[in-house]
Amino acid sequence: VELTLGGALDLDAMEREFQARLGDAAAGTALFNHLQKQAQTSAFGVEELAKNTASFMSVTTNPKNIDGLNAIAEKLAIFDKTGQGLEGAGFSLKEALSGDIVSLAEPFNMPKNLIREFEIDELGKSGDVEGFITQFEKLLDQMNMGDPAYQEMLKAPKTQLNMFLSNMKTGF
């Protein structure tokens, strides 16, 4: 009962939170449905993705920007060896969006001068979320942490098992 009924109620609560935070029921439902679909091919479950998404809503309520920030957080989290996971990656991104790059440099082995070269700190301080996302994707590519590397990391047996278990839980 907890796994099925409790899980369904938790998912409903997440969807309603998105509806309320975005101020638009249709947009909240669309974002939630997108996260559910994303979780099927992600290294992270829908609960983790939803929690991360909610944290980005303090920065932006634009679904496209939220999706971009989530994609970056996933890539960072899969390369994180400190064990902070998606929540830690989301926190580091939010810090960078305020201009603080220390939490990016240390856990993800990103040279501060390279972060500054891509103007991540300045774009974050200025509030240019779209520019921040664009430049951050370029930074990840430069550091071999972009889409091709992320897709390769998803092939790891441990990641595949976690994805299967997460999808099975959401299915129930």
Side-chain angles (χ1 to χ4, degrees), residues 11-33:
L11 291 176
D12 180 69
M14 287 180 220
E15 181 178 358
R16 290 176 189 274
E17 178 184 357
F18 291 159
Q19 292 171 345
R21 299 277 307 268
L22 293 177
D24 180 346
T29 297
L31 180 60
F32 179 74
N33 289 339

Side-chain angles (χ1 to χ4, degrees), residues 146-159:
D147 283 329
Y150 177 72
Q151 293 303 319
E152 192 60 36
M153 294 294 285
L154 289 180
K155 294 177 186 176
K158 182 178 179 181
T159 304

Side-chain angles (χ1 to χ4, degrees), residues 3-164:
L3 185 61
T4 56
L5 185 57
L9 292 173
D10 288 343
L11 291 176
D12 180 69
M14 287 180 220
E15 181 178 358
R16 290 176 189 274
E17 178 184 357
F18 291 159
Q19 292 171 345
R21 299 277 307 268
L22 293 177
D24 180 346
T29 297
L31 180 60
F32 179 74
N33 289 339
H34 174 73
L35 283 180
Q36 283 188 303
K37 189 174 181 179
Q38 182 181 353
Q40 294 172 0
T41 59
S42 171
F44 305 97
V46 70
E47 294 89 0
E48 289 176 285
L49 291 171
K51 186 175 182 180
N52 211 44
T53 296
S55 76
F56 290 136
M57 287 183 181
S58 66
V59 177
T60 181
T61 56
N62 179 323
K64 181 182 174 191
N65 290 344
I66 291 170
D67 192 43
L69 292 171
N70 271 334
I72 292 169
E74 282 188 66
K75 291 170 192 160
L76 287 174
I78 206 158
F79 287 102
D80 175 30
K81 300 302 178 216
T82 64
Q84 295 180 46
L86 189 60
E87 186 176 355
F91 174 80
S92 294
L93 272 180
K94 282 183 63 179
E95 290 289 298
L97 280 161
S98 70
D100 181 359
I101 60 171
V102 173
S103 61
L104 282 176
E106 293 172 9
F108 304 106
N109 260 350
M110 294 181 150
K112 290 180 187 176
N113 63 331
L114 190 59
I115 295 170
R116 288 186 186 105
E117 183 179 316
F118 282 90
E119 300 178 340
I120 301 300
D121 52 344
E122 294 302 320
L123 289 164
K125 279 190 239 180
S126 73
D128 182 0
V129 178
E130 287 180 32
F132 178 91
I133 292 167
T134 300
Q135 287 301 104
F136 211 104
E137 288 289 351
K138 290 176 183 177
L139 171 64
L140 290 175
D141 287 339
Q142 174 77 25
M143 297 196 61
N144 296 318
M145 296 169 68
D147 283 329
Y150 177 72
Q151 293 303 319
E152 192 60 36
M153 294 294 285
L154 289 180
K155 294 177 186 176
K158 182 178 179 181
T159 304
Q160 290 287 309
L161 178 61
N162 288 339
M163 289 168 66
F164 171 75

